[in-house]
Amino acid sequence: MELTRRDALGLLGGSLAAGFATRSVQPLFAQAPAPPVFPKGAIIRTLLKDLPPDALASGATLFHEHLSMRYPLGVAEHFTDDVALMIEEAKATKADGVACIVDGGHADMVRSLDALKRITTESGLPIVASGGYYMQRTYPADLAAKSADQIADELVKEAAASRFGAFGEIGQQGGVLTDDERKVFTAIAKAHVKTGLPVFTHNAYTGVRPTPNPVPKDTALKQLDLLLDNGVKPSKLAIGHLCCLDDTKAEIPIAVAKRGAFVGFDRVTIALVPDAQKVTTIMAIVEAGHASKILLASDFSSARGLKKNGGGGLGQALTVFAPMLLKAGMPEATLKSILNDNPRAFLAFQPKAA
Ligand SMILES: [Zn+2]
């Protein structure tokens, strides 16, 4: 449709008027970002089928949770072993308004694809499965002898065979990448170039609590550089765990957003930095004009959060954390675009022919 100048002015007038009404109670920065525009043929690859991005528009998509894993490695049992329980939790989270969950595990965290398939089939909650490697201590013994190209080729094949919809969480153990971790990040970038699949990372974090091995704050920016230098499209990249930096001015998240990548606030309701501080940091990102780059999730990994145990459930980023943002003054429309639109913009990709 071609807009005449008059139509365009009319639209502008309308949105200005709407903005004005909002501004009487909310600052200008708080206006919701424009809805995402998807390239032709872009899909979100869930375990059961490829979905047009619009299919998930009416609910929240949480880009980094765990529905199946045995981590820390070597634990005899894990609450996610109870697949029937996870099906009930997935049903409950769907009822809360969650449209889709991305599972951030993979084989080296003992994620079971069969468990994920049962959970999505029996709950009706769309699930995106991920591929890749976590960090040095989880790598299989034979990884050291492989080249980045070999690892990338294997990942591309595995992604197609297992219907991965993302590569993640791709992490590092300490403040500096080991040689193997650098090789894995490079391999992930190569596999992304061949498949178009989105990538999310696990950043080593500092937090506000003194840790035995404090890590430098710039690990996030180094991950970003390494992945972008090796061909990852910034719009298909989320740097994770930025909510665990003690960075209330949001200097690092804003630097990540300025490069076009997504800012992962994917440990809300858990870990290290208090939620109130995470809220302050998010509001600083929004104020700087980067609301469209914020992704929320909770890295679900503790039985305490289960509905069964009185927690906020798999969707605790939506049920527990999101209300804190509203209370801090974020308008509903902005929150909705962060929860419903940003993750679809991150996940949707144009599949490349094998
Ligand atoms: Zn995780």
Side-chain angles (χ1 to χ4, degrees):
M1 182 184 77
E2 206 185 323
L3 287 179
T4 64
R5 188 175 147 76
R6 209 167 138 190
D7 287 337
L9 285 173
L11 282 177
L12 194 61
S15 64
L16 279 179
F20 207 70
T22 309
R23 269 201 300 279
S24 62
V25 288
Q26 296 293 348
L28 178 63
F29 73 79
Q31 287 176 45
V37 178
F38 297 99
K40 198 166 181 284
I43 51 101
I44 293 171
R45 178 153 292 163
T46 73
L47 261 177
L48 297 185
K49 56 184 167 189
D50 290 348
L51 295 174
D54 285 350
L56 300 175
S58 63
T61 290
L62 304 175
F63 86 104
H64 181 165
E65 309 293 351
H66 294 280
L67 309 184
S68 167
M69 68 171 176
R70 274 202 189 171
Y71 196 82
L73 291 181
V75 290
E77 57 188 325
H78 192 269
F79 70 89
T80 59
D81 290 345
D82 186 346
V83 177
L85 164 70
M86 297 310 288
I87 292 167
E88 288 313 305
E89 295 285 333
K91 281 182 188 165
T93 212
K94 198 176 164 217
D96 284 335
V98 173
C100 177
I101 287 186
V102 181
D103 184 277
H106 24 70
D108 71 354
M109 300 157 89
V110 202
R111 176 276 327 267
S112 160
L113 271 179
D114 285 338
L116 292 186
K117 275 181 206 155
R118 274 189 60 198
I119 296 167
T120 186
T121 304
E122 294 181 40
S123 69
L125 176 74
I127 292 175
V128 172
S130 309
Y133 297 95
Y134 188 28
M135 59 173 68
Q136 185 72 49
R137 69 167 161 263
T138 71
Y139 291 163
D142 62 355
L143 186 127
K146 291 177 185 169
S147 70
D149 282 312
Q150 269 177 298
I151 297 167
D153 288 344
E154 289 174 6
L155 285 169
V156 170
K157 283 194 193 115
E158 197 191 352
S162 303
R163 292 192 55 78
F164 295 153
F167 291 120
E169 58 182 302
I170 310 304
Q172 66 185 88
Q173 204 160 300
V176 179
L177 289 169
T178 66
D179 289 347
D180 282 344
E181 285 170 345
R182 178 168 292 276
K183 185 168 71 178
V184 167
F185 271 77
T186 308
I188 290 291
K190 287 168 181 276
H192 157 86
V193 168
K194 288 185 177 165
T195 59
L197 284 166
V199 175
F200 59 99
T201 73
H202 162 110
N203 172 43
Y205 38 79
T206 52
V208 290
R209 213 164 52 191
T211 56
N213 299 301
V215 295
K217 280 191 179 183
D218 65 353
T219 59
L221 300 178
K222 289 193 169 144
Q223 287 186 350
L224 182 72
D225 283 338
L226 180 56
L227 291 167
L228 296 187
D229 287 350
N230 283 282
V232 175
K233 260 170 99 170
S235 63
K236 297 293 104 187
L237 175 60
I239 301 296
H241 303 343
L242 294 181
C243 48
C244 295
L245 300 174
D246 186 12
D247 181 14
T248 44
K249 286 188 191 151
E251 284 168 353
I252 289 175
I254 289 169
V256 169
K258 278 186 174 163
R259 304 272 303 272
F262 285 92
V263 169
F265 268 60
D266 46 6
R267 295 179 69 100
V268 301
T269 78
I270 66 164
L272 294 173
V273 169
D275 279 332
Q277 184 176 329
K278 289 172 182 151
V279 168
T280 305
T281 312
I282 288 178
M283 295 307 270
I285 301 168
V286 172
E287 193 157 2
H290 301 293
S292 68
K293 288 297 174 189
I294 299 167
L295 293 175
L296 298 182
S298 78
D299 203 358
F300 198 94
S301 48
S302 162
R304 270 199 318 271
L306 293 168
K307 292 256 178 175
K308 183 190 113 177
N309 297 332
L314 300 172
Q316 58 196 357
L318 172 69
T319 58
V320 177
F321 187 75
M324 297 179 194
L325 292 170
L326 289 179
K327 217 172 148 199
M330 182 182 284
E332 254 181 84
T334 302
L335 179 62
K336 198 175 160 197
S337 74
I338 289 173
L339 289 166
N340 298 15
D341 294 346
N342 294 357
R344 294 185 298 124
F346 165 60
L347 289 172
F349 72 104
Q350 295 163 292
K352 297 188 181 175

